[in-house]
Amino acid sequence: MSGGAERNADLKALIRTIPDFPKPGIQFRDITTLLLDPGGFATVVERMAAMVDGPIDAIAGVEARGFIFGAALARELGSGLVLVRKRGKLPGKTLTEDYALEYGSDSLEMHHDAIPQGARILLIDDLLATGGTAHAAVRLLRGAGASVGQSLFVIDLPDLGGAARLREAGVSVEALVEFEGD
Ligand SMILES: O=P(O)(O)OC[C@H]1O[C@H](OP(=O)(O)OP(=O)(O)O)[C@H](O)[C@@H]1O
Ligand SMILES: Nc1ncnc2[nH]cnc12
């Protein structure tokens, strides 16, 4: 085990909740406290690695917090990492998808030539709320020729419907922690 980190951490206990951020009424599920705990971070990566269903060609991580877990999991699995970024950050020719958030709206982009046609992509993000972000990432990846059959999240907020939305789009959804009542 690298760094001597325990891998059976209570993940939910390591996630801090900050009320009314970034807007009144939002219960912000803060993973910075989880990341500060080496055992917590190691537990996330190990549990996600064990949940990967079948061979994949690459992981796609969604900016910004999805990069943290996507990169760590890619390293653990020995796979490549596709960066799905917010608008205007990528230097090459991009594909773009707009989406709505629990607290705003934005666009996601990826390099048009980031993946070969038919590549099997595993989608990773820290948190699933309405599913607007993840669904836009799936549309983006599929538009680039990828096959996206599975998504993994650290946190799901089931009351916001993201998992149902992704499953309707043909993507399996698993999360390590759920917060109900959001
Ligand atoms: O399911 P949804 O309703 O789309 O919400 C989930 C998304 O919101 C958060 O990202 P945010 O856009 O706040 O960006 P960040 O990772 O850069 O902080 C989170 O990391 C997910 O990507
Ligand atoms: N409640 C929440 N906490 C943290 N990140 C989020 N992204 C969307 N909703 C969120």
Side-chain angles (χ1 to χ4, degrees):
M1 189 181 306
S2 64
E6 295 292 333
R7 289 183 170 183
N8 60 354
D10 178 354
L11 298 179
K12 198 164 190 176
L14 291 170
I15 296 163
R16 176 170 59 175
T17 296
I18 300 189
D20 301 322
F21 181 87
K23 281 186 176 175
I26 302 288
Q27 298 275 66
F28 193 88
R29 308 303 182 179
D30 176 21
I31 51 130
T32 64
T33 41
L34 167 63
L35 293 170
L36 278 167
D37 186 288
F41 194 19
T43 297
V44 168
V45 176
E46 182 175 75
R47 289 188 191 164
M48 280 189 162
M51 291 160 99
V52 176
D53 182 18
I56 58 165
D57 297 305
I59 284 172
V62 182
E63 185 172 3
R65 288 171 264 160
F67 286 176
I68 300 164
F69 300 104
L73 186 60
R75 180 69 182 83
E76 178 87 359
L77 299 176
S79 73
L81 179 68
V82 180
L83 299 186
V84 175
R85 298 211 63 175
K86 304 283 168 62
R87 183 193 359 230
K89 301 283 188 180
L90 288 168
K93 186 177 166 194
T94 56
L95 303 171
T96 303
E97 281 286 340
D98 299 327
Y99 64 103
L101 268 175
E102 191 185 1
Y103 41 74
S105 65
D106 215 329
S107 302
L108 290 180
E109 296 185 337
M110 64 179 283
H111 277 141
H112 76 107
D113 57 355
I115 49 171
Q117 289 293 310
R120 295 158 298 185
I121 302 294
L122 168 63
L123 180 66
I124 299 292
D125 205 351
D126 70 316
L127 183 141
L128 181 63
T130 65
T133 308
H135 192 218
V138 169
R139 294 195 304 274
L140 194 59
L141 289 157
R142 287 179 173 166
S147 158
V148 189
Q150 187 181 16
S151 61
L152 295 175
F153 302 86
V154 182
I155 302 165
D156 181 25
L157 309 181
D159 298 345
L160 294 179
R165 185 172 176 180
L166 283 185
R167 288 179 186 129
E168 274 169 30
V171 182
S172 80
V173 180
E174 288 154 283
L176 304 180
V177 174
E178 287 188 1
F179 287 94
E180 293 188 77
D182 276 328

